[in-house]
């Protein structure tokens, strides 16, 4: 058990809809990351928050947004969903920044599988 | 654009040593991270570093722009997806597309 909790585990919705994915990081971790895993695309970095503030942005669409709350949990909001948004969305957390061998180890949740029909 | 490259599949016989190669084009990345992912589970870190290292049956080789993960005495239960990742400074990890390992009994 990594200590990172993601909900929901599975979600099926229709095109044009909006969904929210939730992540609770490991206790004490300040950084939260969101990754998207699509078929044959590996883990694509979307966005990172550190102690409530956006720290880094990757290949995140404008239709997607995220935030980290004072209790450090994070939410990823996906709107105007398209078929191509169907993927496994992972949340990960780390104590510090990812570059550090000491504090940068990423602990992943089990993912939220989104299916857009 | 692809920055971390690894083979999409690798096959091995049980009991052998399997090598999964990774190389990257991230100019200021010095640390490699190898993750293991069983479908339905959370990816987890196997080994990391900026020098050769070992964690149990997992060995990591290190060159400036490449690394190999060696799994000793591979078992059927090792069949999974292995991800290589690097990071540039304090930026988030950049992952390869993953290597699916199949093990033949």
């Amino acid at each position: 058990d990594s200590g990172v909790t993601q909900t929901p585990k599975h979600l099926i919705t229709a095109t044009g809809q909006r969904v929210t994915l939730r992540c609770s990081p490991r206790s004490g971790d300040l950084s939260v990351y969101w990754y998207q895993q699509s078929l044959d695309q590996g883990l694509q970095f979307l966005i990172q928050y550190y102690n409530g503030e956006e720290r880094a942005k990757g290949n995140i669409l404008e239709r997607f947004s995220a935030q980290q709350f004072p209790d450090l949990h994070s939410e990823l909001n996906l709107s105007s969903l398209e078929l191509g948004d169907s993927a496994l969305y992972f949340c990960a957390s780390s104590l510090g920044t990812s570059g550090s061998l000491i504090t940068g180890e990423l602990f992943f949740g089990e993912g939220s599988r989104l299916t857009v029909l | 654009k692809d920055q971390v490259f690894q083979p999409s599949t690798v096959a091995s016989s049980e009991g052998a040593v399997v090598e999964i190669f990774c190389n990257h084009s991230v100019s200021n990345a010095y640390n490699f991270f190898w993750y293991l992912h069983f479908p339905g589970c959370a990816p987890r870190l196997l080994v990391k570093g900026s020098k050769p290292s070992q964690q149990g049956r997992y060995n990591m080789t290190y060159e400036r722009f490449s690394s190999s993960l060696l799994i000793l005495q591979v078992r059927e239960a090792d069949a999974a997806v292995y991800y290589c990742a690097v990071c540039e400074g304090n930026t988030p990890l950049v992952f390869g597309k993953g290597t699916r390992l199949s093990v033949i009994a």
Side-chain angles (χ1 to χ4, degrees), chain B residues 35-66:
Chain B
Y35 278 79
L36 163 65
H37 183 214
F38 290 106
C41 298
R44 67 176 179 91
L45 183 68
L46 286 175
V47 65
K48 63 183 178 183
S50 56
K51 59 183 180 181
S53 62
Q54 180 176 2
Q55 288 288 335
R57 293 187 299 115
Y58 305 102
N59 282 352
M60 184 186 98
T61 69
Y62 180 85
E63 300 284 343
R64 174 66 180 84
F65 287 98
S66 66

Side-chain angles (χ1 to χ4, degrees), chain A residues 91-105:
Chain A
C91 170
S93 71
S94 67
L95 175 61
T97 54
S98 55
S100 166
L101 287 176
I102 298 173
T103 64
E105 178 177 344

Side-chain angles (χ1 to χ4, degrees), chain B residues 2 7 11 15-17 21 29 34 37 41-42 44 47-48 53 60 63 69 72 77-78 89 92-93 99 105:
Chain B
D2 288 350
V17 176
F21 180 78
W34 285 95
H37 183 214
C41 298
R44 67 176 179 91
V47 65
K48 63 183 178 183
S53 62
M60 184 186 98
E63 300 284 343
L69 176 70
L72 310 180
D78 293 324
L93 291 183
T99 299

Side-chain angles (χ1 to χ4, degrees), chain A residues 35 37 40-43 45 48 56 90 97-99 101 105-106 108-110, chain B residues 31 33 35 37 42-43 45 48-49 83 87 89-93 95-97:
Chain A
Y35 284 83
Q37 184 188 53
D40 296 332
Q41 290 300 310
L43 292 163
F45 169 66
Q48 177 200 358
F90 284 104
T97 54
S98 55
L101 287 176
E105 178 177 344
L106 263 60
F108 281 85
E110 295 182 356
Chain B
N31 298 323
F33 301 77
Y35 278 79
H37 183 214
L45 183 68
K48 63 183 178 183
Y83 286 100
C87 61
N90 291 327
T91 61
L93 291 183
F95 285 84
K97 293 186 177 181

Side-chain angles (χ1 to χ4, degrees), chain A residues 1-40:
Chain A
D1 182 6
S2 67
V4 178
T5 304
Q6 288 188 247
T7 57
K9 290 194 182 307
H10 301 277
L11 190 55
I12 300 174
T13 188
T15 54
Q17 295 299 305
R18 171 190 170 95
V19 299
T20 297
L21 309 180
R22 181 188 169 100
C23 171
S24 294
R26 273 191 339 153
S27 177
D29 283 356
L30 299 177
S31 276
V32 170
Y33 310 77
W34 287 97
Y35 284 83
Q36 180 192 55
Q37 184 188 53
S38 302
L39 195 63
D40 296 332

Side-chain angles (χ1 to χ4, degrees), chain A residues 60-77:
Chain A
I60 188 166
L61 300 172
E62 285 192 14
R63 299 183 286 109
F64 297 179
S65 65
Q67 54 184 329
Q68 186 180 29
F69 295 86
D71 67 352
L72 301 178
H73 91 271
S74 177
E75 292 181 356
L76 179 67
N77 301 296

